[in-house]
Amino acid sequence: MALTKDDRQKERFDMQAIPILVYHSVGRTCGPAYRRWLVTERELDAYLQALTQRGYRSMTVRDLALLRCSGQPIPPRTCVITFDDGLRDFAEAAMPVLVDRKFAATLYVATGFVGATARWLADLDEGNRPMLNWSALRDLHDAGIEIGAHSVTHPELDTLSFAKATSELRDSKKALEDGLGAAVTTFAYPHGYASRATRRIAKDAGYLAACRVRHALSDETENLFALSRIVVTSEVTPDALLDMIETPQLPVAPPADRLIATGWRAARRLRALHRSVFPRRQVAGAESGA
């Protein structure tokens, strides 16, 4: 007999399929090209309120990984809230909402830009967006936020050489541990991209787990170094978010190395090679006829 919608939903919870959500920026102002990556404080509060009303409680990526490593069951209605990049607006705008709603969270930091600006966002006209400094990061850690690594320079790691990728994962971990005076145990791949090689590097570097994107639910069958996350952008309403995570819209723990992903990785490597040979300024000049 075919499963009903309620049966499928119950099956997803029974196998401990949980949403790991990823946000980037929280605030009120940004350029038009970056708008989808920014949610306001009110929007973030509405997401967390909707999750609370449905009985969800959050934990950090580290705590999730520890439970899965030990084989312990994940409490029903668990979710994980993550923020990528380490932008200053996390402390100014996101943290008060998280505290008010009593939600745990994990913040992933690109260590090469701590105390400076998010220069990798220049293509979105947000290269001057302020980053957190070391003092603020220590305060957040002391307040219970898990601080994880997000590389040094925010590259597409799976397009780099093995040596360069290793440096990005190891050096960001060391920088955070030196700056915080505490162990750093989880990692988020910049842009969500990872390969079998980068997953192995993350494990060898001493991380407990690492997050990709993949827009899917995560469950206990997933490789701890390929945890699926769901990107929440400003276009997603709280009701739409609940529909995504509670109805069979999203896959659960999709394969880490699909053929389409491998092909896209090859294309991005070619693009990276082209940029190294023809710097962006030179290419832009040629395209504009300058």
Side-chain angles (χ1 to χ4, degrees):
M1 185 174 65
L3 292 175
T4 67
K5 178 179 175 180
D6 288 343
D7 289 335
R8 289 195 299 270
Q9 179 176 323
K10 182 176 185 301
E11 184 181 63
R12 288 157 82 87
F13 287 124
D14 286 346
M15 67 181 180
Q16 297 189 321
I18 68 167
I20 304 176
L21 308 180
V22 54
Y23 297 87
H24 288 80
S25 190
V26 181
R28 300 179 184 178
T29 60
C30 68
Y34 190 70
R35 179 63 183 93
R36 71 186 307 261
W37 304 112
L38 179 142
V39 299
T40 66
E41 298 99 312
R42 180 173 293 183
E43 288 168 341
L44 178 62
D45 185 69
Y47 292 126
L48 301 188
Q49 181 182 27
L51 291 168
T52 298
Q53 289 174 343
R54 298 301 279 263
Y56 285 93
R57 294 293 180 269
S58 65
M59 66 173 57
T60 64
V61 176
R62 176 181 180 274
D63 288 342
L64 174 67
L66 287 172
L67 285 176
R68 286 186 174 168
C69 284
S70 67
Q72 297 181 57
I74 309 300
R77 298 280 175 170
T78 289
C79 67
V80 178
I81 309 294
T82 69
F83 291 80
D84 278 5
D85 298 339
L87 298 166
R88 191 172 72 191
D89 60 37
F90 177 85
E92 297 171 341
M95 188 63 177
V97 178
L98 292 166
V99 171
D100 185 57
R101 291 291 177 184
K102 298 179 173 60
F103 268 71
T106 299
L107 173 67
Y108 288 110
V109 179
T111 58
F113 306 96
V114 171
T117 63
R119 294 192 298 275
W120 75 90
L121 294 177
D123 285 351
L124 297 176
D125 297 323
E126 290 291 335
N128 291 323
R129 201 159 194 86
M131 296 284 287
L132 291 160
N133 60 28
W134 287 111
S135 177
L137 286 170
R138 286 189 288 270
D139 288 344
L140 290 167
H141 172 265
D142 291 344
I145 296 297
E146 179 195 2
I147 308 295
H150 196 42
S151 80
V152 178
T153 65
H154 204 280
E156 295 178 0
L157 287 170
D158 60 338
T159 67
L160 302 183
S161 69
F162 185 87
K164 288 182 178 178
T166 298
S167 177
E168 289 280 346
L169 276 90
R170 290 185 181 275
D171 291 355
S172 57
K173 187 177 194 295
K174 184 178 187 305
L176 282 174
E177 290 180 337
D178 289 346
L180 298 173
V184 170
T185 57
T186 70
F187 184 87
Y189 305 107
H191 310 281
Y193 295 133
S195 64
R196 185 176 289 109
T198 51
R199 293 194 297 274
R200 183 67 195 183
I201 293 169
K203 183 176 182 179
D204 291 346
Y207 292 103
L208 180 66
C211 297
R212 52 179 175 165
V213 175
R214 201 61 72 164
H215 208 61
L217 297 173
S218 177
D219 78 356
E220 70 272 17
T221 68
E222 230 176 8
N223 184 327
L224 282 175
F225 294 92
L227 297 177
S228 293
R229 293 190 295 171
I230 300 164
V231 179
V232 184
T233 64
S234 60
E235 298 101 331
V236 179
T237 66
D239 286 342
L241 177 61
L242 291 176
D243 283 344
M244 279 196 297
I245 66 179
E246 293 189 345
T247 62
Q249 290 188 37
L250 299 180
V252 177
D257 296 297
R258 296 180 301 173
L259 184 60
I260 189 172
T262 302
W264 176 230
R265 181 178 305 130
R268 288 184 291 107
R269 283 175 175 161
L270 284 174
R271 183 181 64 190
L273 178 61
H274 183 268
R275 285 179 174 175
S276 70
V277 176
F278 302 103
R280 188 169 303 169
R281 185 175 300 173
Q282 179 180 338
V283 172
E287 291 174 345
S288 65

